[in-house]
Amino acid sequence: MDWIEDQIEWSADGKKVAIGLTRFGAGKNLLLLPALSSISTRTEMRSLQERLGTSFATTAIDWPGFGTLPRPRVDWRPELYRTFLRFVMESVVQPAATIAAGHAAGYVLAEAAENPAGFGRLCLLSPTWRGPLPTMTGRRMALFRGLVKAVDLPLIGSVIYRLNVNSTVIGMMARGHVYADPTLLTPERMAEKRAVTEAPGARYASFRFVAGELDPFIDRDAFQESARRIPTKILVAYGGGTPRKSKAEMTGLASLPDVLTVELPRGKLSFYEEFPDLTREMIAPFLLESD
Protein backbone atom coordinates (compact mmCIF):
# COMPACT_ATOMS: atom_id res chain seq x y z
CA MET A 1 0.00 0.00 0.00
CA ASP A 2 1.20 3.49 -0.82
CA TRP A 3 0.88 6.70 1.14
CA ILE A 4 -0.86 9.44 -0.83
CA GLU A 5 -0.08 13.02 0.18
CA ASP A 6 -2.50 15.58 -1.23
CA GLN A 7 -3.96 19.05 -0.76
CA ILE A 8 -7.44 20.42 -1.05
CA GLU A 9 -8.66 24.00 -1.23
CA TRP A 10 -11.38 25.51 0.89
CA SER A 11 -12.58 29.08 1.43
CA ALA A 12 -12.92 30.83 4.78
CA ASP A 13 -14.49 34.30 4.78
CA GLY A 14 -13.81 34.46 1.05
CA LYS A 15 -10.10 33.62 1.42
CA LYS A 16 -8.67 30.47 -0.12
CA VAL A 17 -7.04 28.05 2.30
CA ALA A 18 -4.78 25.14 1.27
CA ILE A 19 -5.26 22.11 3.51
CA GLY A 20 -3.09 18.99 3.62
CA LEU A 21 -4.41 15.45 3.77
CA THR A 22 -2.94 11.95 3.75
CA ARG A 23 -4.57 8.74 2.51
CA PHE A 24 -3.43 5.22 3.32
CA GLY A 25 -4.87 1.72 3.34
CA ALA A 26 -7.82 -0.15 1.89
CA GLY A 27 -11.30 -1.07 3.06
CA LYS A 28 -14.14 0.97 4.47
CA ASN A 29 -13.50 4.70 4.79
CA LEU A 30 -12.05 5.92 8.08
CA LEU A 31 -11.59 9.63 8.79
CA LEU A 32 -8.89 10.76 11.23
CA LEU A 33 -9.07 14.30 12.61
CA PRO A 34 -6.08 15.55 14.64
CA ALA A 35 -6.32 17.82 17.63
CA LEU A 36 -6.46 21.58 17.25
CA SER A 37 -3.40 22.99 18.98
CA SER A 38 -0.34 25.12 18.32
CA ILE A 39 1.77 22.03 17.55
CA SER A 40 -0.76 19.57 16.11
CA THR A 41 -1.11 18.36 12.53
CA ARG A 42 -2.36 15.20 10.84
CA THR A 43 1.21 13.86 11.22
CA GLU A 44 0.46 13.04 14.87
CA MET A 45 -2.00 10.46 13.54
CA ARG A 46 0.45 8.84 11.10
CA SER A 47 1.59 5.86 13.20
CA LEU A 48 -1.98 5.04 14.18
CA GLN A 49 -3.12 5.60 10.61
CA GLU A 50 -0.51 3.11 9.38
CA ARG A 51 -1.80 0.45 11.75
CA LEU A 52 -5.45 1.05 10.92
CA GLY A 53 -4.70 1.08 7.19
CA THR A 54 -4.67 -2.71 7.22
CA SER A 55 -8.43 -2.65 7.80
CA PHE A 56 -9.57 0.75 6.48
CA ALA A 57 -9.04 3.23 3.70
CA THR A 58 -7.86 6.00 6.01
CA THR A 59 -7.90 9.74 5.40
CA ALA A 60 -6.15 12.09 7.84
CA ILE A 61 -6.75 15.78 7.25
CA ASP A 62 -5.46 18.99 8.79
CA TRP A 63 -7.73 21.68 10.15
CA PRO A 64 -7.78 25.04 8.32
CA GLY A 65 -5.57 27.54 10.10
CA PHE A 66 -3.34 24.71 11.37
CA GLY A 67 -0.92 22.29 9.72
CA THR A 68 2.34 23.28 7.99
CA LEU A 69 0.97 25.06 4.92
CA PRO A 70 0.71 28.87 4.74
CA ARG A 71 -2.66 30.20 5.87
CA PRO A 72 -4.32 33.58 5.41
CA ARG A 73 -5.28 35.97 8.16
CA VAL A 74 -8.82 34.98 9.12
CA ASP A 75 -10.89 35.57 12.23
CA TRP A 76 -11.04 31.85 12.91
CA ARG A 77 -14.12 30.90 14.94
CA PRO A 78 -16.21 27.83 15.73
CA GLU A 79 -18.79 28.32 12.98
CA LEU A 80 -16.02 28.22 10.36
CA TYR A 81 -14.75 24.90 11.68
CA ARG A 82 -18.22 23.41 11.76
CA THR A 83 -18.71 24.54 8.15
CA PHE A 84 -15.37 22.96 7.22
CA LEU A 85 -16.34 19.69 8.87
CA ARG A 86 -19.54 19.58 6.84
CA PHE A 87 -17.48 20.24 3.71
CA VAL A 88 -15.21 17.29 4.54
CA MET A 89 -18.19 14.99 4.99
CA GLU A 90 -19.80 16.12 1.73
CA SER A 91 -16.78 16.54 -0.55
CA VAL A 92 -13.75 14.67 0.80
CA VAL A 93 -14.79 11.41 2.45
CA GLN A 94 -17.95 9.70 3.62
CA PRO A 95 -16.63 7.67 6.56
CA ALA A 96 -17.84 4.41 8.02
CA ALA A 97 -16.09 5.54 11.21
CA THR A 98 -14.46 8.73 12.48
CA ILE A 99 -11.56 9.13 14.90
CA ALA A 100 -11.24 12.62 16.36
CA ALA A 101 -8.73 13.90 18.92
CA GLY A 102 -8.84 16.80 21.36
CA HIS A 103 -10.99 19.72 20.20
CA ALA A 104 -11.69 17.85 16.96
CA ALA A 105 -13.76 15.46 19.08
CA GLY A 106 -15.78 18.39 20.39
CA TYR A 107 -16.57 19.57 16.88
CA VAL A 108 -17.50 16.06 15.78
CA LEU A 109 -19.90 15.74 18.73
CA ALA A 110 -21.49 19.07 17.87
CA GLU A 111 -22.02 18.10 14.23
CA ALA A 112 -22.94 14.47 14.86
CA ALA A 113 -25.68 15.59 17.24
CA GLU A 114 -27.29 17.20 14.17
CA ASN A 115 -26.28 14.51 11.64
CA PRO A 116 -25.28 11.28 13.40
CA ALA A 117 -25.32 9.18 10.23
CA GLY A 118 -22.69 11.35 8.53
CA PHE A 119 -19.75 10.28 10.69
CA GLY A 120 -20.22 6.54 11.12
CA ARG A 121 -18.96 5.06 14.38
CA LEU A 122 -17.39 7.68 16.64
CA CYS A 123 -14.09 7.13 18.42
CA LEU A 124 -12.98 10.13 20.48
CA LEU A 125 -9.37 10.33 21.64
CA SER A 126 -8.70 12.64 24.60
CA PRO A 127 -11.87 14.63 23.79
CA THR A 128 -11.80 18.27 24.90
CA TRP A 129 -14.01 21.31 24.47
CA ARG A 130 -12.19 24.09 26.39
CA GLY A 131 -8.94 25.84 25.39
CA PRO A 132 -5.80 26.05 27.56
CA LEU A 133 -6.30 29.51 29.08
CA PRO A 134 -9.96 28.98 30.11
CA THR A 135 -8.98 25.56 31.47
CA MET A 136 -6.15 27.05 33.53
CA THR A 137 -8.28 29.86 34.95
CA GLY A 138 -11.57 27.97 35.13
CA ARG A 139 -13.44 30.67 33.21
CA ARG A 140 -13.51 32.77 30.08
CA MET A 141 -12.13 36.29 30.42
CA ALA A 142 -12.32 39.43 28.28
CA LEU A 143 -8.55 39.59 28.64
CA PHE A 144 -8.17 36.54 26.43
CA ARG A 145 -9.99 38.18 23.54
CA GLY A 146 -7.80 41.25 24.04
CA LEU A 147 -4.70 39.08 23.72
CA VAL A 148 -6.06 37.61 20.49
CA LYS A 149 -6.47 41.10 19.04
CA ALA A 150 -2.91 41.96 20.08
CA VAL A 151 -1.52 38.84 18.39
CA ASP A 152 -3.37 39.82 15.19
CA LEU A 153 -1.45 43.11 14.99
CA PRO A 154 1.42 43.42 12.49
CA LEU A 155 4.96 43.14 13.90
CA ILE A 156 4.16 43.26 17.63
CA GLY A 157 1.63 40.45 17.23
CA SER A 158 4.27 38.21 15.72
CA VAL A 159 6.64 38.99 18.60
CA ILE A 160 4.00 38.12 21.22
CA TYR A 161 3.21 34.89 19.41
CA ARG A 162 6.87 33.84 19.14
CA LEU A 163 7.32 34.33 22.88
CA ASN A 164 4.64 31.72 23.41
CA VAL A 165 5.84 29.07 20.93
CA ASN A 166 9.61 28.99 21.37
CA SER A 167 11.45 25.72 22.03
CA THR A 168 11.33 26.18 25.80
CA VAL A 169 7.57 26.66 25.89
CA ILE A 170 6.95 23.81 23.44
CA GLY A 171 9.15 21.54 25.55
CA MET A 172 7.26 22.43 28.72
CA MET A 173 3.94 21.89 26.94
CA ALA A 174 4.92 18.53 25.49
CA ARG A 175 6.44 17.15 28.66
CA GLY A 176 3.71 18.57 30.88
CA HIS A 177 0.57 17.30 29.19
CA VAL A 178 1.25 15.86 25.71
CA TYR A 179 3.70 12.96 26.19
CA ALA A 180 4.22 10.57 29.10
CA ASP A 181 7.84 9.91 28.11
CA PRO A 182 9.82 13.19 28.18
CA THR A 183 12.51 11.70 25.94
CA LEU A 184 10.00 11.36 23.11
CA LEU A 185 10.54 15.02 22.26
CA THR A 186 13.70 14.33 20.27
CA PRO A 187 15.43 17.09 18.29
CA GLU A 188 13.75 15.74 15.15
CA ARG A 189 10.30 15.81 16.72
CA MET A 190 10.94 19.28 18.15
CA ALA A 191 11.86 20.46 14.64
CA GLU A 192 8.55 19.07 13.37
CA LYS A 193 6.63 20.90 16.08
CA ARG A 194 8.52 24.13 15.42
CA ALA A 195 7.69 23.86 11.72
CA VAL A 196 3.99 23.89 12.63
CA THR A 197 4.34 27.06 14.72
CA GLU A 198 6.49 28.81 12.11
CA ALA A 199 4.23 28.31 9.09
CA PRO A 200 3.12 31.64 7.60
CA GLY A 201 -0.11 32.79 9.26
CA ALA A 202 0.15 30.19 12.04
CA ARG A 203 -0.51 32.63 14.85
CA TYR A 204 -4.09 33.53 13.89
CA ALA A 205 -5.70 30.15 14.60
CA SER A 206 -3.11 28.97 17.11
CA PHE A 207 -3.58 31.78 19.61
CA ARG A 208 -7.36 31.72 19.21
CA PHE A 209 -7.25 28.08 20.26
CA VAL A 210 -5.10 28.90 23.30
CA ALA A 211 -7.45 31.73 24.31
CA GLY A 212 -10.57 29.57 24.03
CA GLU A 213 -11.92 31.40 20.98
CA LEU A 214 -12.18 28.09 19.09
CA ASP A 215 -14.05 26.22 21.83
CA PRO A 216 -16.95 24.32 20.20
CA PHE A 217 -19.10 24.62 23.36
CA ILE A 218 -19.65 27.29 26.00
CA ASP A 219 -19.79 24.89 28.94
CA ARG A 220 -19.62 21.26 30.05
CA ASP A 221 -23.39 20.81 29.94
CA ALA A 222 -23.48 21.64 26.22
CA PHE A 223 -20.54 19.28 25.61
CA GLN A 224 -22.31 16.39 27.32
CA GLU A 225 -25.70 17.19 25.85
CA SER A 226 -24.33 16.81 22.32
CA ALA A 227 -22.99 13.36 23.20
CA ARG A 228 -26.30 12.45 24.80
CA ARG A 229 -28.20 13.32 21.62
CA ILE A 230 -26.19 10.93 19.44
CA PRO A 231 -28.20 7.70 19.08
CA THR A 232 -25.25 5.40 18.34
CA LYS A 233 -22.46 4.10 20.56
CA ILE A 234 -19.44 6.34 21.16
CA LEU A 235 -16.01 5.15 22.25
CA VAL A 236 -14.00 7.55 24.41
CA ALA A 237 -10.32 6.70 24.94
CA TYR A 238 -7.74 8.57 27.00
CA GLY A 239 -4.39 8.01 28.68
CA GLY A 240 -4.01 7.30 32.38
CA GLY A 241 -1.63 10.24 32.75
CA THR A 242 -4.00 12.81 31.24
CA PRO A 243 -3.87 16.14 33.15
CA ARG A 244 -6.45 16.26 35.93
CA LYS A 245 -8.74 19.02 34.62
CA SER A 246 -8.88 17.59 31.11
CA LYS A 247 -9.38 14.05 32.39
CA ALA A 248 -12.38 15.17 34.43
CA GLU A 249 -14.11 16.28 31.24
CA MET A 250 -13.36 12.97 29.55
CA THR A 251 -14.50 10.78 32.42
CA GLY A 252 -17.62 12.93 32.68
CA LEU A 253 -18.75 11.47 29.35
CA ALA A 254 -18.53 7.93 30.75
CA SER A 255 -21.79 8.25 32.70
CA LEU A 256 -23.79 8.99 29.55
CA PRO A 257 -25.87 6.33 27.79
CA ASP A 258 -24.13 4.55 24.89
CA VAL A 259 -20.69 5.95 25.79
CA LEU A 260 -17.99 3.30 26.18
CA THR A 261 -14.79 4.37 27.92
CA VAL A 262 -11.26 3.01 27.65
CA GLU A 263 -8.41 4.28 29.83
CA LEU A 264 -4.98 3.28 28.59
CA PRO A 265 -2.53 2.49 31.39
CA ARG A 266 -0.10 5.15 30.18
CA GLY A 267 -0.13 8.27 28.08
CA LYS A 268 -1.27 11.87 28.25
CA LEU A 269 -3.23 13.93 25.73
CA SER A 270 -1.39 12.54 22.69
CA PHE A 271 -1.33 8.91 23.87
CA TYR A 272 -2.31 7.72 20.37
CA GLU A 273 0.86 9.28 18.94
CA GLU A 274 3.06 7.85 21.67
CA PHE A 275 1.48 4.38 21.91
CA PRO A 276 -0.06 3.64 18.49
CA ASP A 277 0.05 -0.16 18.84
CA LEU A 278 -1.78 -0.15 22.16
CA THR A 279 -4.23 2.43 20.85
CA ARG A 280 -5.06 0.31 17.82
CA GLU A 281 -5.50 -2.74 20.03
CA MET A 282 -7.95 -0.86 22.23
CA ILE A 283 -10.06 0.83 19.55
CA ALA A 284 -10.01 -1.51 16.51
CA PRO A 285 -12.68 -3.94 17.82
CA PHE A 286 -15.08 -1.03 18.29
CA LEU A 287 -14.36 0.43 14.85
CA LEU A 288 -14.83 -2.93 13.14
CA GLU A 289 -17.95 -3.90 15.06
CA SER A 290 -21.27 -3.77 13.22
CA ASP A 291 -24.11 -1.74 14.75
Side-chain angles (χ1 to χ4, degrees), residues 67-268:
T68 56
L69 298 175
R71 35 229 128 125
R73 177 176 176 176
V74 171
D75 182 16
W76 299 105
R77 54 197 185 275
E79 53 264 39
L80 286 179
Y81 287 98
R82 292 190 63 169
T83 300
F84 172 71
L85 196 52
R86 290 192 290 271
F87 164 78
V88 171
M89 296 293 125
E90 295 167 1
S91 304
V92 180
V93 59
Q94 288 75 50
T98 299
I99 296 177
H103 261 44
Y107 278 104
V108 166
L109 283 180
E111 282 299 306
E114 305 294 333
N115 179 25
F119 293 85
R121 309 213 86 188
L122 296 184
C123 178
L124 312 181
L125 310 180
S126 301
T128 59
W129 63 271
R130 189 170 55 184
L133 288 180
T135 296
M136 289 171 58
T137 60
R139 59 196 177 102
R140 303 177 67 88
M141 300 173 63
L143 170 64
F144 301 157
R145 183 61 184 171
L147 290 172
V148 166
K149 291 181 178 179
V151 170
D152 279 353
L153 294 173
L155 301 179
I156 187 63
S158 181
V159 172
I160 297 172
Y161 171 67
R162 296 296 174 196
L163 289 174
N164 286 275
V165 291
N166 57 52
S167 294
T168 299
V169 173
I170 292 174
M172 292 174 59
M173 181 194 315
R175 287 185 287 270
H177 56 259
V178 178
Y179 303 127
D181 181 359
T183 66
L184 195 68
L185 194 64
T186 61
E188 294 76 18
R189 196 179 296 269
M190 173 62 82
E192 291 177 0
K193 302 301 184 185
R194 289 296 302 272
V196 180
T197 66
E198 293 172 358
R203 71 181 192 266
Y204 304 119
S206 173
F207 205 83
R208 280 169 170 76
F209 164 75
V210 171
E213 293 293 311
L214 302 187
D215 293 353
F217 301 105
I218 60 172
D219 56 35
R220 178 186 297 177
D221 288 343
F223 176 55
Q224 295 189 351
E225 179 59 25
S226 283
R228 189 178 288 109
R229 290 172 56 197
I230 296 171
T232 56
K233 292 180 181 178
I234 301 170
L235 179 65
V236 172
Y238 55 87
T242 299
R244 177 178 56 83
K245 290 183 178 179
S246 296
K247 191 174 183 179
E249 302 296 338
M250 299 168 198
T251 57
L253 293 174
S255 62
L256 302 180
D258 294 323
V259 174
L260 310 175
T261 306
V262 174
E263 178 177 327
L264 277 72
R266 295 188 64 199
K268 296 186 178 181

Side-chain angles (χ1 to χ4, degrees), residues 28-88:
K28 293 182 179 180
N29 288 331
L30 174 65
L31 174 64
L32 295 97
L33 296 167
L36 280 74
S37 89
S38 302
I39 58 174
S40 289
T41 72
R42 69 189 188 281
T43 303
E44 70 185 36
M45 294 283 195
R46 191 175 182 92
S47 294
L48 180 59
Q49 183 176 9
E50 180 179 18
R51 287 152 177 80
L52 291 170
T54 59
S55 303
F56 292 94
T58 67
T59 300
I61 188 167
D62 283 328
W63 288 94
F66 296 89
T68 56
L69 298 175
R71 35 229 128 125
R73 177 176 176 176
V74 171
D75 182 16
W76 299 105
R77 54 197 185 275
E79 53 264 39
L80 286 179
Y81 287 98
R82 292 190 63 169
T83 300
F84 172 71
L85 196 52
R86 290 192 290 271
F87 164 78
V88 171

